[in-house]
Amino acid sequence: MNRLEGHIGAIRTSQQISLVTTVLDAGHEIQAVVIETPETAPYLKNGSKAAVLFKETEVLLYLPGTTQISEPNQIPAEVNKLEAGTLFTWVGLRTPIGDLGAIIPADSVALLGLVPGKKVVACVKTTEVMLSGE
């Protein structure tokens, strides 16, 4: 599980769903869809401390210079470790916001030419980011 610390920077709400932007300690922003509102979840307040949590299976990788995609949670990274399995490979990433892990299909390692030192972009689906508050 990836865990990053920050504070809530913006909240947009529609009915019982909020799109929450968390500003991480390194200044990068991560968005999350939360099935709560500031009225139903006391931790949803601008400026409140929040931890961003997401599973390693929810991290996508692509190469810099790739055509723009619709997901806003894009983090520049460098591969620093590969642990190959039969079906999946765990990829250790160094990023400006801290170390992250990703689990990707083993075939994708060769497809992307992943080796330690390779520059990539990690992408986390907005709908897969969880928040925890104080």
Side-chain angles (χ1 to χ4, degrees), residues 38-75:
E39 291 76 31
T40 62
Y43 74 93
L44 288 179
K45 292 182 184 152
N46 283 332
S48 292
K49 287 186 180 182
V52 172
L53 307 159
F54 52 93
K55 297 184 294 186
E56 292 162 328
T57 54
E58 301 302 338
V59 177
L60 306 172
L61 303 177
Y62 63 92
L63 302 176
T66 302
T67 303
Q68 187 65 26
I69 63 172
S70 62
E71 182 54 56
N73 295 332
Q74 301 176 39
I75 306 162

Coordinates of all heavy atoms in Angstrom, one line a residue, residues 38-75:
P38 N -18.3 17.3 2.8 CA -17.9 18.0 4.1 C -18.9 17.9 5.2 O -18.6 17.9 6.4 CB -17.6 19.4 3.6 CG -17.2 19.3 2.2 CD -18.1 18.2 1.7
E39 N -20.2 17.8 4.8 CA -21.3 17.7 5.8 C -21.3 16.3 6.5 O -21.8 16.2 7.6 CB -22.6 18.0 5.2 CG -22.8 19.5 4.8 CD -22.1 19.8 3.5 OE1 -21.9 19.0 2.6 OE2 -21.6 21.0 3.4
T40 N -20.9 15.3 5.8 CA -21.0 13.9 6.3 C -19.6 13.4 6.8 O -19.6 12.4 7.5 CB -21.6 12.9 5.3 OG1 -20.7 12.9 4.1 CG2 -22.9 13.3 4.9
A41 N -18.5 14.0 6.5 CA -17.2 13.5 6.9 C -16.4 14.7 7.4 O -16.0 15.6 6.7 CB -16.5 12.9 5.7
P42 N -16.3 14.8 8.8 CA -15.6 15.9 9.4 C -14.2 16.2 8.9 O -13.8 17.4 8.9 CB -15.6 15.6 10.9 CG -16.6 14.5 11.0 CD -16.7 13.8 9.7
Y43 N -13.5 15.2 8.4 CA -12.1 15.4 8.0 C -12.0 16.2 6.6 O -11.0 16.7 6.3 CB -11.3 14.1 7.9 CG -11.7 13.2 6.8 CD1 -10.9 13.3 5.6 CD2 -12.7 12.3 6.8 CE1 -11.2 12.5 4.5 CE2 -13.0 11.5 5.8 CZ -12.3 11.6 4.6 OH -12.6 10.8 3.5
L44 N -13.1 16.3 5.9 CA -13.2 16.9 4.6 C -13.3 18.5 4.8 O -14.3 19.0 4.7 CB -14.3 16.4 3.7 CG -14.1 15.0 3.2 CD1 -15.3 14.6 2.3 CD2 -12.8 14.9 2.4
K45 N -12.1 19.1 5.1 CA -12.1 20.5 5.3 C -10.8 21.0 4.6 O -9.7 20.4 4.8 CB -12.0 20.9 6.8 CG -13.3 20.6 7.5 CD -13.2 21.1 9.0 CE -14.5 20.6 9.7 NZ -14.4 20.4 11.1
N46 N -10.9 22.1 3.9 CA -9.7 22.7 3.3 C -8.6 22.9 4.4 O -8.9 23.5 5.5 CB -10.0 24.0 2.6 CG -10.6 23.8 1.3 OD1 -10.4 22.8 0.6 ND2 -11.4 24.7 0.8
G47 N -7.4 22.5 4.1 CA -6.3 22.7 5.1 C -6.1 21.5 6.1 O -5.1 21.4 6.7
S48 N -7.1 20.6 6.2 CA -7.0 19.5 7.1 C -5.9 18.5 6.6 O -5.7 18.3 5.4 CB -8.3 18.7 7.2 OG -9.3 19.5 7.8
K49 N -5.2 18.0 7.6 CA -4.2 17.0 7.3 C -4.9 15.7 6.7 O -6.0 15.4 7.2 CB -3.4 16.6 8.5 CG -2.4 17.6 8.9 CD -1.5 17.1 10.1 CE -0.5 18.1 10.5 NZ 0.4 17.6 11.5
A50 N -4.2 15.1 5.7 CA -4.8 13.9 5.1 C -3.7 13.0 4.6 O -2.7 13.5 4.1 CB -5.8 14.3 4.0
A51 N -3.9 11.7 4.7 CA -3.0 10.8 4.1 C -3.7 10.3 2.8 O -4.8 10.0 2.8 CB -2.7 9.6 5.0
V52 N -2.9 10.2 1.7 CA -3.4 9.6 0.5 C -2.9 8.2 0.4 O -1.7 7.9 0.6 CB -2.8 10.4 -0.7 CG1 -3.1 9.8 -2.0 CG2 -3.3 11.9 -0.7
L53 N -3.9 7.3 0.2 CA -3.5 5.9 0.2 C -4.0 5.3 -1.2 O -5.1 5.6 -1.6 CB -4.3 5.1 1.3 CG -4.1 5.7 2.7 CD1 -5.2 5.3 3.6 CD2 -2.7 5.3 3.2
F54 N -3.2 4.4 -1.8 CA -3.6 3.7 -3.0 C -2.8 2.4 -3.1 O -1.6 2.4 -2.7 CB -3.5 4.6 -4.2 CG -2.2 5.2 -4.5 CD1 -1.2 4.6 -5.3 CD2 -1.9 6.5 -3.9 CE1 0.0 5.3 -5.5 CE2 -0.7 7.1 -4.2 CZ 0.2 6.5 -5.0
K55 N -3.5 1.4 -3.6 CA -2.9 0.1 -3.8 C -1.8 0.1 -4.9 O -2.0 0.9 -5.9 CB -3.9 -1.0 -4.1 CG -4.9 -1.2 -3.0 CD -5.9 -2.3 -3.3 CE -6.8 -1.9 -4.4 NZ -7.8 -2.9 -4.7
E56 N -0.8 -0.7 -4.8 CA 0.2 -0.8 -5.8 C -0.4 -1.3 -7.2 O 0.1 -0.9 -8.2 CB 1.3 -1.7 -5.4 CG 2.1 -1.1 -4.2 CD 2.9 -2.1 -3.4 OE1 2.5 -3.2 -3.3 OE2 4.0 -1.6 -2.9
T57 N -1.5 -2.0 -7.1 CA -2.1 -2.5 -8.3 C -2.9 -1.4 -9.1 O -3.3 -1.6 -10.2 CB -3.1 -3.6 -8.0 OG1 -4.0 -3.2 -7.0 CG2 -2.4 -4.9 -7.5
E58 N -3.0 -0.2 -8.4 CA -3.7 0.9 -9.1 C -2.8 1.9 -9.7 O -3.2 3.0 -10.1 CB -4.6 1.6 -8.0 CG -5.7 0.6 -7.4 CD -6.6 0.0 -8.5 OE1 -6.7 0.5 -9.6 OE2 -7.1 -1.1 -8.1
V59 N -1.5 1.6 -9.8 CA -0.5 2.5 -10.4 C -0.3 2.1 -11.8 O 0.1 0.9 -12.1 CB 0.8 2.5 -9.6 CG1 1.8 3.4 -10.3 CG2 0.5 3.0 -8.2
L60 N -0.5 3.0 -12.8 CA -0.2 2.7 -14.2 C 1.2 3.4 -14.5 O 1.5 4.5 -13.9 CB -1.2 3.3 -15.1 CG -2.7 2.9 -14.8 CD1 -3.6 3.7 -15.6 CD2 -2.9 1.4 -15.1
L61 N 1.9 2.9 -15.4 CA 3.1 3.5 -15.9 C 3.1 3.8 -17.4 O 2.5 3.0 -18.1 CB 4.3 2.6 -15.6 CG 4.5 2.1 -14.1 CD1 5.7 1.2 -14.1 CD2 4.7 3.3 -13.2
Y62 N 3.7 4.9 -17.8 CA 3.9 5.1 -19.2 C 5.1 6.0 -19.3 O 5.7 6.5 -18.4 CB 2.6 5.8 -19.8 CG 2.3 7.2 -19.3 CD1 2.8 8.3 -19.9 CD2 1.4 7.3 -18.2 CE1 2.4 9.6 -19.4 CE2 1.1 8.5 -17.7 CZ 1.6 9.7 -18.4 OH 1.2 10.9 -17.9
L63 N 5.6 6.0 -20.6 CA 6.9 6.7 -20.8 C 6.7 8.2 -21.0 O 5.7 8.6 -21.6 CB 7.5 6.1 -22.1 CG 7.8 4.6 -22.0 CD1 8.4 4.1 -23.3 CD2 8.7 4.3 -20.8
P64 N 7.6 9.0 -20.6 CA 7.5 10.5 -20.8 C 7.4 10.7 -22.3 O 8.0 10.0 -23.1 CB 8.8 11.0 -20.3 CG 9.3 10.0 -19.3 CD 8.8 8.7 -19.8
G65 N 6.6 11.7 -22.7 CA 6.4 12.1 -24.1 C 5.3 11.4 -24.7 O 5.0 11.6 -25.9
T66 N 4.6 10.5 -24.0 CA 3.5 9.8 -24.5 C 2.3 10.8 -24.7 O 2.2 11.7 -23.9 CB 3.0 8.6 -23.5 OG1 4.1 7.8 -23.4 CG2 1.8 7.9 -24.0
T67 N 1.4 10.5 -25.6 CA 0.3 11.4 -25.8 C -0.4 11.6 -24.5 O -0.6 10.7 -23.7 CB -0.7 10.8 -26.9 OG1 0.1 10.6 -28.1 CG2 -1.8 11.7 -27.1
Q68 N -0.9 12.8 -24.3 CA -1.6 13.1 -23.0 C -2.8 12.2 -22.8 O -3.5 11.8 -23.7 CB -2.1 14.6 -23.1 CG -2.7 15.1 -21.8 CD -1.7 15.2 -20.7 OE1 -0.5 15.4 -20.9 NE2 -2.2 15.1 -19.4
I69 N -3.0 11.9 -21.5 CA -4.2 11.0 -21.1 C -5.1 11.8 -20.2 O -4.7 12.9 -19.7 CB -3.7 9.7 -20.5 CG1 -3.0 10.0 -19.2 CG2 -2.9 8.9 -21.4 CD1 -2.7 8.7 -18.4
S70 N -6.3 11.3 -20.0 CA -7.3 12.1 -19.2 C -7.1 12.0 -17.7 O -7.7 12.8 -17.0 CB -8.7 11.5 -19.6 OG -8.7 10.1 -19.2
E71 N -6.3 11.2 -17.2 CA -6.1 11.1 -15.7 C -5.2 12.2 -15.2 O -4.1 12.3 -15.7 CB -5.5 9.7 -15.4 CG -5.4 9.5 -13.9 CD -6.7 9.7 -13.1 OE1 -7.7 9.1 -13.4 OE2 -6.6 10.5 -12.2
P72 N -5.7 13.0 -14.2 CA -4.8 14.0 -13.7 C -3.7 13.6 -12.7 O -2.8 14.4 -12.5 CB -5.8 14.9 -12.9 CG -6.9 14.0 -12.5 CD -7.0 13.0 -13.6
N73 N -3.8 12.4 -12.1 CA -2.8 12.0 -11.1 C -1.6 11.4 -11.8 O -1.5 10.1 -11.9 CB -3.5 11.0 -10.1 CG -4.6 11.6 -9.3 OD1 -4.6 12.8 -9.0 ND2 -5.5 10.8 -8.9
Q74 N -0.8 12.2 -12.3 CA 0.4 11.8 -13.0 C 1.7 12.2 -12.2 O 1.8 13.4 -11.9 CB 0.4 12.4 -14.4 CG -0.8 12.0 -15.2 CD -0.8 12.6 -16.6 OE1 0.2 12.8 -17.2 NE2 -2.0 13.0 -17.0
I75 N 2.6 11.3 -12.0 CA 3.7 11.5 -11.1 C 5.0 11.1 -11.9 O 5.2 9.9 -12.2 CB 3.6 10.8 -9.8 CG1 2.3 11.1 -9.1 CG2 4.8 11.1 -8.9 CD1 1.9 10.0 -8.1

